[in-house]
Amino acid sequence: MIYTCTLNLAIDLFIETDKMQAHTVNRTNDDDIQANGKGVNVSLILKQLGIDNTALGFQAGFTGQYINDFLKEKAISTHFIEVPGMTRINVFTQVNETGEEFKLVNKGPKIPTEKVTEFLHTLEELLQSGDYLCVSGSLPQGVAPEILVSISQICNEKNVNLIIDSSYKEVLNCLPYKPFLLKPNEEELAAWYDVKLKTKQDYLVYAKRLIADGAQNVLLSLGGDGAIFINKEMVLAGNSPKGKVVNTACAGDTLLGTFLAGVINKKPVDKTLKKAIAAGSSTAFRQGLTDFSDVDQLEAQIKIETIETSKEEVSA
């Protein structure tokens, strides 16, 4: 079974406006409301690619119920735990005059301690050997980053393939439990190791350290510069295709969901990486998630290259 986990669900409001001026009414050209949260996006991408999955996490209030209902309409199973408060609403605004993108992301509800315990017990009951669990995004109030370590321990004990896409430095504490895949971006990778990364070689040095310390695979998202995939056997890099960026909020989730689909379907890694980059770019070039209609066209602009490195160097 494939599970996604979004501990801090969200409804995202996307706005397009020509101008953004202070102390005045700014009229919008377009707006769109979407059920969101990083794991939710991965669920939606997986479903588009024909992979059934179940979404896990906390839901609160009528906004949380909206997300639950939306996913069920998409034939995606849910196993959310009801908590007090309100699932957050985030706002992303594209300003055409300046080409700027403003992102306003809220904290989310405060999760009671007993609900955190309930969630971990739920994982222990649901997960079976060989399952995939993709944990994505930020944590709501009341949930400490150490929960990532607890999840890693459960997955390690149950032989579950754990995927982590989260910015917290505690991800490094999960490495002894050999997570199946980490998906940092360059900023997150730099923050984890308290360094500045400027070149592709810099990225490789620290991505390889993740592998050496226990991660089985690393998918490093580089935004407009593409992505790099690393494990003990190979290092692959791909560029991003050209296009007008409209919204970057869900591009990384699309990259991850598409890549994960390729892994589950046992597709060649180079083809999987190319399609994942194309799909992530397709999402960045529109307001919402890709519908994959332009992915083949975008793939034609992407070249996947093997970066020569010895097995010893990758595991050093």
Side-chain angles (χ1 to χ4, degrees):
M1 185 64 193
I2 316 301
Y3 295 95
T4 68
C5 174
T6 311
L7 294 174
N8 205 7
L9 289 170
I11 292 176
D12 282 358
L13 170 60
F14 295 96
I15 295 172
E16 178 188 330
T17 183
D18 287 332
K19 299 180 180 180
M20 177 70 80
Q21 297 176 330
H23 312 301
T24 187
V25 175
N26 294 281
R27 301 292 180 183
T28 65
N29 299 332
D30 194 18
D31 63 87
D32 187 34
I33 295 175
Q34 299 174 15
N36 217 301
K38 295 178 73 63
V40 168
N41 292 331
V42 173
S43 276
L44 291 167
I45 291 296
L46 288 172
K47 188 64 179 181
Q48 282 199 69
L49 294 171
I51 296 178
D52 291 332
N53 63 91
T54 297
L56 309 176
F58 300 112
Q59 73 171 60
F62 76 91
T63 47
Q65 188 60 49
Y66 169 83
I67 295 173
N68 200 337
D69 293 343
F70 176 83
L71 289 174
K72 288 182 177 180
E73 288 176 5
K74 299 292 184 181
I76 295 172
S77 301
T78 63
H79 201 297
F80 293 137
I81 294 173
E82 184 75 36
V83 296
M86 200 74 65
T87 291
R88 61 194 175 139
I89 299 176
N90 300 324
V91 182
F92 301 89
T93 302
Q94 180 73 29
V95 183
N96 293 332
E97 186 179 74
T98 61
E100 293 176 303
E101 181 185 13
F102 294 90
K103 304 177 182 182
L104 300 176
V105 178
N106 293 304
K107 292 181 179 180
K110 186 172 183 178
I111 311 300
T113 302
E114 62 270 19
K115 293 295 184 178
V116 177
T117 301
E118 181 182 345
F119 169 77
L120 292 174
H121 286 164
T122 297
L123 285 187
E124 291 175 338
E125 293 173 358
L126 288 177
L127 295 175
Q128 303 292 326
S129 178
D131 286 347
Y132 288 82
L133 172 64
C134 182
V135 179
S136 304
S138 65
L139 301 174
Q141 301 174 80
V143 180
E146 286 75 17
I147 195 172
L148 297 174
V149 180
S150 298
I151 294 171
S152 298
Q153 291 173 327
I154 292 170
C155 289
N156 182 256
E157 291 170 3
K158 289 183 165 288
N159 193 32
V160 170
N161 298 293
L162 175 62
I163 299 97
I164 303 177
D165 178 12
S166 191
S167 62
Y168 299 99
K169 196 168 185 177
E170 282 76 6
V171 169
L172 297 181
N173 298 331
C174 301
L175 295 177
Y177 303 101
K178 303 187 184 306
F180 177 73
L181 176 69
L182 301 184
K183 194 212 75 67
N185 59 34
E186 68 270 41
E187 293 177 356
E188 291 165 344
L189 185 62
W192 290 348
Y193 289 107
D194 295 318
V195 295
K196 291 183 178 180
L197 305 179
K198 296 181 180 180
T199 68
K200 184 178 289 186
Q201 186 58 40
D202 292 338
Y203 302 146
L204 290 176
V205 167
Y206 287 94
K208 290 173 186 175
R209 184 178 292 187
L210 293 174
I211 298 294
D213 289 344
Q216 298 179 50
N217 302 282
V218 173
L219 178 61
L220 178 59
S221 172
L222 300 177
D225 292 326
I228 299 174
F229 172 77
I230 299 173
N231 62 21
K232 288 184 177 180
E233 283 71 46
M234 69 184 78
V235 179
L236 301 176
N239 61 290
S240 285
K242 295 180 180 179
K244 179 185 177 184
V245 174
V246 174
N247 169 52
T248 61
C250 308
D253 309 330
T254 304
L255 172 82
L256 178 57
T258 307
F259 189 87
L260 182 56
V263 170
I264 292 168
N265 287 327
K266 302 187 185 305
K267 300 291 185 182
V269 179
D270 56 344
K271 294 182 179 179
T272 294
L273 181 60
K274 179 182 283 191
K275 183 171 183 178
I277 295 172
S281 299
S282 174
T283 288
F285 299 160
R286 63 182 71 207
Q287 283 189 336
L289 292 175
T290 181
D291 61 4
F292 288 89
S293 61
D294 60 347
V295 167
D296 288 345
Q297 178 183 353
L298 294 173
E299 276 191 70
Q301 300 182 44
I302 300 171
K303 181 180 179 181
I304 302 298
E305 61 175 341
T306 298
I307 299 177
E308 296 298 334
T309 181
S310 68
K311 188 177 292 188
E312 291 75 16
E313 184 184 353
V314 176
S315 9

